[in-house]
Amino acid sequence: MATTSSMFMYSLTIQPPTSVTQAILGQFAGTKEQQIVTASGSRLTIHRPDPTQGKISTILSQDVFGIIRTLAAFRLAGSNKDYIIIGSDSGRITIIEYVPAQNRFNRLHLETFGKSGIRRVIPGQYLAVDPKGRACLIASAEKNKLVYVLNRNAQAELTISSPLEAHKPQTLVFALVGLDVGYENPIFAVLEIDYTECDQDPTGQAFEEVEKTLVYYELDLGLNHVVRKWSDPVDRTASMLLQVPGGGDGPSGVLVCGLDNITYRHSNQDAFRVPIPRRRGVTENPERKRCITAGVMHRMRGAFFFLLQSEDGDLFKVTIDMVEDDNGQPTGEVKRLKIKYFDSVPIASTLCILKSGFLFVASETGNHHFYQFEKLGDDDNETEHDSDDFPADPTEPYTPVYFHPRASENVNLVESIDSMNPQLDCKVANLTDEDAPQIYSICGSGARSSFRMLKHGLEVNDIVDSELPSVPAAVWTTKITRHDVFDAYIVLSFDNGTLVLSIGETVEEVTDTGFLSSASTLAVQQLGEDALIQVHPKGIRHIRADRRVNEWPVPQHRSIVAATTNERQVAVALSSGEIVYFEMDSDGSLAEYDEKREMSGTVTCLSLAEVPEGRVRSQFLAVGCDDSTVRILSLDPESTLENKSVQALTSAPSALSIMAMPDSTSGGSTLYLHIGLYSGVYLRTVLDEVTGELSDTRTRFLGPKPAKLFRVSVKGESAVLALSSRSWLGYSDPQTKNFMLTPLSYVPLEWGSNFSSEQCTEGMVGIQGQNLRIFSIEKLGRNLLQESIPLTYTPRKFVRHPEYPLFYTIESENNTLSIATKQKLLNDQTVVNGDGVTLPPEDFGYPRAQGHWASCIHVVDPINAKSTLQQIDLEDNEAATTIAAVSFASQSDETFLVIGTGKDVSVSPRSSSAGFIYIYRFLDDGKELEFIHKTRTEQPPSALLAFQGRLLAGIGNELRIYDLGLKQLLRKSQAQVVPNLIVGLQTQGSRIIVSDVQESIVYVAYKHQENRLMPFVDDVVARWTTCTTMVDYETVAGGDKFGNLWLLRCPQKASEEADEDGSGAHLVHERQYLQGAPNRLALMCHFYPQDIPTSMQKTQLVAGGRDVLVWTGLQGTLGILVPFVSREDVDFFQTLEQHLRGEDAPLAGRDHLIYRSYYVPVKGMIDGDLCERYSMLPNDKKQMIAGELDRSVREIERKISDMRTRVAY
């Protein structure tokens, strides 16, 4: 990488892409249960469906740093574990396995066969596996096919052969599937077209006559080569193949899905064809033909069926009847093909049917759905169409068949998995006045689109919320004996007393527990086998199992100010600054250690760790004093209460907690000291278990209130609940084992404790004001919470009200009937009964109509109403294209909403009959819009922006300035500044940044005296710009439609010249360079994140964090670019990245540096996602890299984690 760059950014992903391009099903862990593996962009994720709860949880997600094009699962005969084959852009075939013990993917084979990148003739686009796991075929879109034979060696390890070629030049492949032939030679079925004649015929006659063929390629295992066994022409519109079970289960062969028909084909059987049923209804076009976009075959004992999905989302059940012999057994000869309507689900990229009776729908857009089968649609009254009534010849005509869509009967939705694909625009704003801003985004398409609010936090499951008689100060839970599974008491401490509640079927007050109820409580603990301890300001009560009470009174004129306990030890601090230490004797009584230890200041807090397994005592006591120090005292009998180490702090400690937690550095568990300060800062430091030394301190600001810490347990692991102005949970990430500190999406609590009962085995109890709350935390994997508001059509852009927490979205849907046209059709007198039913569009989509647009404007309130407040529909086939809130100086700075629309818009080739600019006034604090007037333009406006009290509009390739008139907008100035089409505008001062659809960006200066717009800098590379934002006055960051992110900077001299006072004549007369502006932009940074950026802005994401660039991607990605401050950090991370490229090579075999430099060499960027893989490496590799960098492993991990936690989540 060119180290000459003067600017460096660190790229991090906050939310990985959520769109699923492909999903496969298999027993990847080698157990009975099935898992789902999905590919999203460059991420491979394995999910575990839980059939008992009907939920899906993520087990492992890994970035393979390459484009995953296709996946396949296979298993060798006789084994019980599935392997995964990946076809990627690395020019290699990769076979990996999932290792459940270590929760990671392990690469078994990596075979190179061609160049890297996605090319026409390099295999990787199609992948098919023989059902018996003996071979796989990987093919390119044109010409090349390679067959690999899979086997096992004497050690039962998977082996892969050299590739066998099945190439055919000038052949295009459309689909590919492995045939089920039992244990005969493996056969692969391919849909292909030979275009040799089309290439040589200039008249186009050959193209009209070209045939699509279904070809069988047979792998002869004996001779070890591939032959073209059989080929036959099929319907020219065929685009998909599905495997039909063979061997003893079925007739073998394939289903060929084309436009409006499905055909069964096999080399030794007749063809059978059925049409795809069309929807019936007034608003449906009866002539519109459907095609199949997704399908799945499912076997049951002695039977099988297909579920095929059309582009409307309708599922059809296809079955095959076979000829039976005299005994009623199927012979393997096909009799007929049958199809019937099953249900409607969202349009899927992949369908998976689980053996446990669930259907996983990886949606093309919007949330993914997990359904449970209620029944298989055998006994409903849907009409079944069979192949007896239709000709098998694809050229012969037939009468189409129809059905009435209805609400789902056969499948029932049990879980919806959040997905923000496609994400079209995003804004970061703090509308709820919390300490960290929220992310607002519009995503989805059609009626399944939504407005989403994302907030950093963990989801909390509220169980109990009850009011108490007065405000308690603290709460504890305790068991009665050591071996109890559940807690027995909740102890509440008030200013002047203590209340004990028993936990059972109900929670009620008890008085005969032996607890002192007349004093407030400082600590409660179950001690030894069956005793209880209560520490109160005037002493310690030791309550035996037979209700005998031993009391240790405090020396005169003193009281206890802090206490800490575990199951064998007690330590208390007196108001005089002395520490008294007790340990449990063999007879179960508490013995006081003879000497008291005097501390230099007043003690504010104490902490003892839990007694480790198999030990008698915990080794250390942590003491926090008001002189802003924490001391570690030894509890060893030889050196009791001797000082081991001291840590100075920035303010007095308010809470301490010593606890063992899993550690990514050592791989085991480590003792940590958690410290909360009065300033609201939280520190976590490693406590050496032998010497008591403190090292590797990490800090985080929690909020302005003093921090309190409590030991809790979540998902069987110890965690720390940290309370300040918000409640936080510190825990180990289930996947990486890194320590995470995440706020809870919950009310702020004053005190907390662990809670365990029969109804809630792993929960927490907390105090909020006068309320007692019991809650649990279920999902640790997701730390971004989403709230969703449904929208009507696909959202295009949105703006925020300048003062109020409201947003305005524009939505438009192509080839869809508008509301007015739909109403007209429904009101028609000739409606047949049953055809006039309107179905909910979020399940069934909108009625389609070529050339029609449906479009609307919404007022969205995400904070108070959490819904849309007003909808304005556009008429006359207009579609909204762009939106802006503009304050006009001529109207005494009143802000108006400006919306650009196009009439009769055709997307490709780009055309329209007119464009309009609508002006709306805000009423009722922005909750309502009032139409003022509209202005006609020659083309639809593609970008609008407020500029110096006027409106700046990009219309076609012209930049215009408008002012607001009474009847319409008044044109004040215009200039042609870009060659094609303006797609974005940004401004600062009198400088305007104009993005062109395919010619990058141009800087334009506006000269007020002359009223002229003058371009003065443009770019050397043609970038297809999708979004831009100004980083500072000279620099702009942007993204393009090939998935690149870049930063461009204007030369200092050109920038100063453009801002010189005067008429700007020097800019007009300056010599043009290569038909462009006189100056050129310099490229500062360039990076390929593998998602198309749709929005970008400079903002902060955490309280007190630095400014970062937040960008969003079309597939639902959220990413940030963090600027480096020091050159030293840049060198450190560059070296680390270099080592990781070698030591942790990408899973699919792509070279990381070349991958991040897909279109332009990576410059000035460090890949944070790769650096964060460091914590997942085996220990020896970590040590080796640390040695090369001359740092300790902990130091490296701290630097990596600080890069993220200081600016993001």
Side-chain angles (χ1 to χ4, degrees):
M1 175 158 82
T3 46
T4 51
S5 181
S6 59
M7 181 176 189
F8 279 87
M9 308 287 270
Y10 185 78
S11 159
L12 268 180
T13 305
I14 298 177
Q15 176 176 288
T18 50
S19 76
V20 171
T21 47
Q22 196 186 349
I24 54 171
L25 203 57
Q27 294 166 344
F28 302 107
T31 56
K32 277 279 181 5
E33 68 172 12
Q34 289 179 306
Q35 290 88 20
I36 300 169
V37 169
T38 60
S40 315
S42 62
R43 286 191 96 81
L44 196 65
T45 310
I46 182 162
H47 308 267
R48 180 178 164 264
D50 184 342
T52 52
Q53 293 182 312
K55 285 195 168 11
I56 288 191
S57 54
T58 305
I59 310 176
L60 172 65
S61 178
Q62 184 174 335
D63 201 326
V64 303
F65 300 110
I67 299 171
I68 302 173
R69 299 159 72 185
T70 173
L71 292 174
F74 81 96
R75 76 169 65 182
L76 295 167
S79 94
N80 60 349
K81 179 170 184 168
D82 286 318
Y83 298 101
I84 304 163
I85 307 183
I86 305 175
S88 69
D89 61 343
S90 60
R92 298 162 160 186
I93 186 168
T94 318
I95 300 184
I96 62 168
E97 65 171 338
Y98 170 62
V99 186
Q102 298 159 341
N103 191 26
R104 66 183 185 91
F105 290 121
N106 177 29
R107 188 166 71 202
L108 301 170
H109 287 288
L110 184 65
E111 298 291 322
T112 308
F113 51 68
K115 293 179 179 171
S116 63
I118 294 181
R119 304 162 190 258
R120 273 165 61 162
V121 293
I122 303 293
Q125 188 61 31
Y126 300 104
L127 180 62
V129 175
D130 169 59
K132 292 283 184 268
R134 296 168 298 171
C136 72
L137 172 64
I138 189 164
S140 58
E142 185 179 334
K143 184 183 171 187
N144 293 340
K145 298 181 194 69
L146 297 170
V147 176
Y148 286 91
V149 180
L150 305 163
N151 214 325
R152 58 161 77 86
N153 60 13
Q155 286 78 42
E157 292 164 340
L158 176 73
T159 60
I160 188 167
S161 70
S162 317
L164 306 171
E165 295 182 351
H167 301 340
K168 189 165 187 289
Q170 300 193 313
T171 303
L172 295 175
V173 175
F174 290 85
L176 166 66
V177 71
L179 232 64
D180 189 347
V181 288
Y183 284 103
E184 291 173 22
N185 279 336
I187 294 180
F188 297 96
V190 184
L191 268 185
E192 50 184 50
I193 275 185
D194 186 335
Y195 66 81
T196 318
E197 287 172 13
C198 305
D199 247 10
Q200 283 142 20
D201 173 24
T203 61
Q205 179 70 25
F207 173 72
E208 296 300 327
E209 292 168 1
V210 71
E211 281 186 332
K212 194 173 275 188
T213 50
L214 175 66
V215 184
Y216 279 9
Y217 287 91
E218 181 178 16
L219 164 65
D220 193 317
L221 288 170
L223 299 172
N224 203 26
H225 75 133
V226 184
V227 289
R228 211 177 138 99
K229 187 179 181 187
W230 173 76
S231 85
D232 205 26
V234 292
D235 182 6
R236 190 166 162 180
T237 60
S239 59
M240 194 172 169
L241 294 175
L242 284 140
Q243 169 199 74
V244 177
D249 301 335
S252 187
V254 288
L255 287 188
V256 182
C257 304
L259 186 66
D260 208 38
N261 69 82
I262 299 162
T263 316
Y264 168 78
R265 299 300 303 259
H266 193 33
S267 54
N268 59 4
Q269 304 251 13
D270 295 336
F272 295 91
R273 186 167 73 137
V274 288
I276 298 171
R278 305 178 190 176
R279 283 188 182 182
R280 172 153 285 174
V282 187
T283 52
E284 294 290 342
N285 173 6
E287 298 304 309
R288 184 162 75 87
K289 297 179 175 181
R290 313 302 204 263
C291 62
I292 297 295
T293 55
V296 60
M297 181 266 294
H298 184 63
R299 308 168 184 245
M300 299 167 298
R301 282 199 186 91
F304 63 90
F305 66 89
F306 295 86
L307 283 187
L308 305 182
Q309 188 182 39
S310 72
E311 76 240 55
D312 293 333
D314 300 322
L315 287 177
F316 298 103
K317 182 178 175 183
V318 174
T319 48
I320 294 176
D321 280 359
M322 286 185 277
V323 178
E324 293 179 350
D325 60 15
D326 303 338
N327 307 333
Q329 294 300 312
T331 57
E333 189 185 331
V334 176
K335 188 170 166 189
R336 65 173 71 87
L337 188 63
K338 298 199 285 199
I339 187 167
K340 68 194 263 192
Y341 173 59
F342 186 75
D343 262 340
S344 294
V345 299
I347 299 172
S349 57
T350 314
L351 298 166
C352 297
I353 297 178
L354 282 75
K355 286 180 180 159
S356 50
F358 288 89
L359 170 70
F360 176 64
V361 176
S363 308
E364 219 167 70
T365 67
N367 290 359
H368 308 302
H369 283 184
F370 194 49
Y371 292 93
Q372 185 165 15
F373 282 102
E374 298 290 323
K375 53 189 200 324
L376 290 176
D378 297 327
D379 49 358
D380 55 13
N381 46 18
E382 290 293 334
T383 331
E384 193 163 49
H385 308 282
D386 61 38
S387 53
D388 297 350
D389 309 337
F390 300 96
D393 180 7
T395 54
E396 278 188 44
Y398 56 86
T399 48
V401 295
Y402 296 93
F403 73 96
H404 283 295
R406 50 159 169 75
S408 288
E409 290 176 0
N410 300 307
V411 291
N412 166 30
L413 181 65
V414 287
E415 194 186 15
S416 176
I417 301 137
D418 281 337
S419 165
M420 294 177 61
N421 158 57
Q423 185 169 226
L424 295 140
D425 201 356
C426 169
K427 304 262 186 281
V428 179
N430 190 355
L431 302 184
T432 52
D433 288 333
E434 290 173 16
D435 45 8
Q438 306 85 46
I439 300 170
Y440 298 91
S441 121
I442 46 174
C443 47
S445 71
R448 299 184 69 237
S449 53
S450 59
F451 180 101
R452 304 225 175 169
M453 172 175 149
L454 277 80
K455 198 167 119 192
H456 181 219
L458 288 172
E459 196 176 344
V460 172
N461 184 7
D462 213 342
I463 299 166
V464 174
D465 176 8
S466 63
E467 202 171 325
L468 298 165
S470 63
V471 179
V475 61
W476 292 270
T477 55
T478 178
K479 303 191 266 196
I480 292 181
T481 70
R482 188 171 145 199
H483 301 291
D484 285 358
V485 182
F486 300 123
D487 293 325
Y489 297 140
I490 296 178
V491 182
L492 290 157
S493 167
F494 297 89
D495 289 344
N496 54 0
T498 297
L499 178 69
V500 183
L501 307 173
S502 79
I503 305 168
E505 287 296 310
T506 58
V507 173
E508 50 205 29
E509 187 180 342
V510 282
T511 49
D512 58 345
T513 54
F515 281 100
L516 182 69
S517 60
S518 60
S520 62
T521 301
L522 295 172
V524 172
Q525 172 76 40
Q526 189 274 317
L527 193 81
E529 287 300 319
D530 52 8
L532 293 171
I533 280 265
Q534 176 193 16
V535 182
H536 54 89
K538 287 295 171 202
I540 301 174
R541 263 175 103 81
H542 182 194
I543 306 159
R544 294 295 185 93
D546 52 10
R547 293 281 186 271
R548 275 184 307 156
V549 173
N550 297 353
E551 182 91 33
W552 176 84
V554 173
Q556 262 188 324
H557 308 306
R558 297 179 206 168
S559 60
I560 297 176
V561 289
T564 177
T565 58
N566 64 27
E567 58 195 57
R568 298 187 63 88
Q569 296 158 289
V570 179
V572 295
L574 306 182
S575 50
S576 56
E578 291 168 313
I579 288 179
V580 189
Y581 169 61
F582 302 84
E583 203 170 295
M584 198 176 78
D585 273 354
S586 50
D587 65 347
S589 63
L590 273 185
E592 180 184 345
Y593 177 68
D594 312 339
E595 295 171 35
K596 297 182 174 58
R597 166 76 194 261
E598 287 266 356
M599 299 308 282
S600 52
T602 308
V603 177
T604 56
C605 46
L606 298 168
S607 177
L608 280 165
E610 297 279 329
V611 180
E613 195 73 36
R615 298 275 184 93
V616 190
R617 65 177 69 80
S618 168
Q619 292 293 102
F620 302 111
L621 169 69
V623 183
C625 300
D626 64 356
D627 56 358
S628 300
T629 58
V630 168
R631 287 180 167 77
I632 301 295
L633 306 183
S634 165
L635 298 178
D636 215 23
E638 277 79 61
S639 58
T640 312
L641 298 186
E642 271 183 27
N643 216 2
K644 282 285 189 181
S645 61
V646 181
Q647 171 139 353
L649 306 165
T650 52
S651 106
S654 55
L656 295 173
S657 177
I658 302 178
M659 55 198 285
M661 289 180 82
D663 177 22
S664 64
T665 311
S666 64
S669 103
T670 301
L671 210 54
Y672 290 105
L673 170 64
H674 303 269
I675 309 169
L677 306 186
Y678 276 100
S679 58
V681 172
Y682 159 85
L683 296 94
R684 167 175 164 262
T685 163
V686 175
L687 176 60
D688 190 298
E689 297 181 33
V690 181
T691 64
E693 289 291 320
L694 296 171
S695 61
D696 185 33
T697 305
R698 312 216 182 157
T699 60
R700 188 82 180 265
F701 177 62
L702 302 182
K705 281 178 153 181
K708 299 190 189 116
L709 305 175
F710 304 95
R711 192 182 296 142
V712 292
S713 142
V714 178
K715 297 278 175 212
E717 301 269 5
S718 32
V720 60
L721 180 67
L723 307 180
S724 174
S725 54
R726 284 166 88 178
S727 310
W728 298 70
L729 186 75
Y731 57 96
S732 292
D733 182 272
Q735 199 176 315
T736 61
K737 295 288 174 260
N738 285 341
F739 182 73
M740 308 275 283
L741 191 65
T742 310
L744 301 181
S745 171
Y746 202 50
V747 292
L749 301 170
E750 275 94 55
W751 198 275
S753 175
N754 224 8
F755 177 82
S756 177
S757 73
E758 280 182 47
Q759 289 77 22
C760 163
T761 49
E762 204 174 44
M764 294 169 214
V765 56
I767 294 168
Q768 177 239 339
Q770 205 172 325
N771 290 12
L772 181 74
R773 286 174 173 262
I774 298 176
F775 58 95
S776 66
I777 296 163
E778 302 291 332
K779 292 181 185 168
L780 289 181
R782 287 183 42 213
N783 63 357
L784 272 180
L785 290 177
Q786 296 189 12
E787 281 183 28
S788 169
I789 298 168
L791 299 174
T792 309
Y793 305 117
T794 304
R796 304 292 168 174
K797 290 190 171 73
F798 74 132
V799 292
R800 191 196 146 187
H801 191 286
E803 294 156 43
Y804 302 105
L806 298 169
F807 288 94
Y808 305 90
T809 64
I810 51 169
E811 300 153 40
S812 57
E813 200 71 44
N814 195 5
N815 294 338
T816 300
L817 287 180
S818 67
I819 289 188
T821 323
K822 200 157 71 181
Q823 211 45 54
K824 204 165 119 192
L825 286 168
L826 287 169
N827 295 342
D828 196 359
Q829 295 304 313
T830 57
V831 174
V832 184
N833 192 19
D835 284 1
V837 181
T838 48
L839 297 155
E842 54 273 16
D843 297 331
F844 297 93
Y846 290 109
R848 304 242 154 229
Q850 203 67 34
H852 286 255
W853 282 87
S855 184
C856 71
I857 304 158
H858 267 138
V859 182
V860 183
D861 178 356
I863 306 300
N864 304 320
K866 299 202 173 178
S867 67
T868 53
L869 304 177
Q870 186 188 7
Q871 176 172 340
I872 300 168
D873 286 297
L874 297 180
E875 291 165 1
D876 294 339
N877 207 26
E878 280 180 47
T881 55
T882 178
I883 184 169
V886 181
S887 70
F888 286 98
S890 58
Q891 301 288 323
S892 59
D893 286 336
E894 186 186 343
T895 306
F896 292 86
L897 190 68
V898 185
I899 289 169
T901 69
K903 185 172 159 62
D904 306 325
V905 178
S906 161
V907 182
S908 174
R910 203 164 42 238
S911 71
S912 63
S913 58
F916 294 97
I917 300 177
Y918 284 72
I919 304 286
Y920 288 92
R921 176 177 264 133
F922 295 119
L923 301 177
D924 185 19
D925 295 345
K927 290 178 184 159
E928 253 185 77
L929 296 176
E930 178 193 28
F931 173 66
I932 306 291
H933 58 63
K934 67 177 181 176
T935 308
R936 193 184 176 95
T937 56
E938 310 81 76
Q939 290 183 34
S942 45
L944 298 171
L945 185 69
F947 176 69
Q948 299 186 351
R950 299 199 266 187
L951 169 68
L952 192 62
I955 294 166
N957 60 0
E958 286 186 349
L959 186 61
R960 294 185 187 169
I961 296 179
Y962 284 103
D963 209 340
L964 189 60
L966 287 174
K967 291 284 179 69
Q968 65 167 33
L969 291 168
L970 312 170
R971 194 184 313 183
K972 295 292 181 190
S973 174
Q974 79 171 37
Q976 198 171 322
V977 293
V978 297
N980 302 300
L981 174 74
I982 294 174
V983 291
L985 296 168
Q986 302 285 336
T987 181
Q988 222 171 307
S990 59
R991 177 170 296 181
I992 303 160
I993 313 286
V994 182
S995 339
D996 181 76
V997 67
Q998 69 183 68
E999 291 292 341
S1000 191
I1001 57 179
V1002 179
Y1003 281 40
V1004 177
Y1006 175 63
K1007 294 295 176 193
H1008 201 270
Q1009 286 162 296
E1010 289 216 325
N1011 191 23
R1012 285 186 76 164
L1013 293 156
M1014 301 177 199
F1016 65 95
V1017 184
D1018 60 16
D1019 199 0
V1020 285
V1021 179
R1023 305 180 198 281
W1024 292 68
T1025 324
T1026 54
C1027 61
T1028 53
T1029 188
M1030 288 185 82
V1031 180
D1032 57 38
Y1033 193 55
E1034 260 92 39
T1035 318
V1036 70
D1040 63 40
K1041 76 169 205 185
F1042 293 98
N1044 298 302
L1045 292 169
W1046 29 263
L1047 266 89
L1048 302 170
R1049 182 168 284 170
C1050 166
Q1052 191 72 36
K1053 185 165 168 278
S1055 175
E1056 285 164 7
E1057 278 179 10
D1059 286 347
E1060 280 175 18
D1061 288 344
S1063 63
H1066 58 290
L1067 290 179
V1068 182
H1069 302 306
E1070 200 166 354
R1071 197 162 138 239
Q1072 287 195 340
Y1073 180 64
L1074 299 176
Q1075 284 98 40
N1079 301 292
R1080 292 288 174 268
L1081 293 162
L1083 179 68
M1084 303 304 294
C1085 301
H1086 201 286
F1087 188 70
Y1088 175 73
Q1090 219 250 289
D1091 197 354
I1092 299 170
T1094 52
S1095 82
M1096 204 167 196
Q1097 71 190 96
K1098 181 176 145 188
T1099 180
Q1100 294 175 351
L1101 279 181
V1102 294
R1106 291 214 311 272
D1107 271 357
V1108 292
L1109 285 174
V1110 178
W1111 67 274
T1112 58
L1114 188 73
Q1115 302 174 36
T1117 316
L1118 279 174
I1120 55 170
L1121 304 177
V1122 189
F1124 278 104
V1125 180
S1126 72
R1127 184 78 214 190
E1128 185 194 352
D1129 279 355
V1130 174
D1131 294 341
F1132 168 81
F1133 278 103
Q1134 261 183 323
T1135 323
L1136 175 65
E1137 193 181 29
Q1138 208 173 328
H1139 283 298
L1140 282 166
R1141 280 180 186 143
E1143 293 305 322
D1144 184 37
L1147 194 65
R1150 186 84 165 108
D1151 182 295
H1152 177 267
L1153 183 62
I1154 300 174
Y1155 166 68
R1156 289 300 189 200
S1157 313
Y1158 229 106
Y1159 295 95
V1160 172
V1162 65
K1163 179 179 181 181
M1165 282 273 193
I1166 285 163
D1167 186 357
D1169 295 339
L1170 178 67
C1171 294
E1172 289 189 341
R1173 296 264 321 144
Y1174 179 77
S1175 62
M1176 314 279 281
L1177 290 179
N1179 261 353
D1180 52 339
K1181 285 192 177 178
K1182 280 190 194 175
Q1183 296 288 357
M1184 194 204 81
I1185 294 175
E1188 293 278 337
L1189 289 167
D1190 204 13
R1191 310 269 177 129
S1192 72
V1193 174
R1194 281 201 187 282
E1195 217 175 327
I1196 296 176
E1197 292 201 336
R1198 187 173 83 226
K1199 270 184 107 68
I1200 295 170
S1201 103
D1202 279 357
M1203 277 308 283
R1204 182 182 276 272
T1205 53
R1206 283 190 181 156
V1207 292
Y1209 323 126

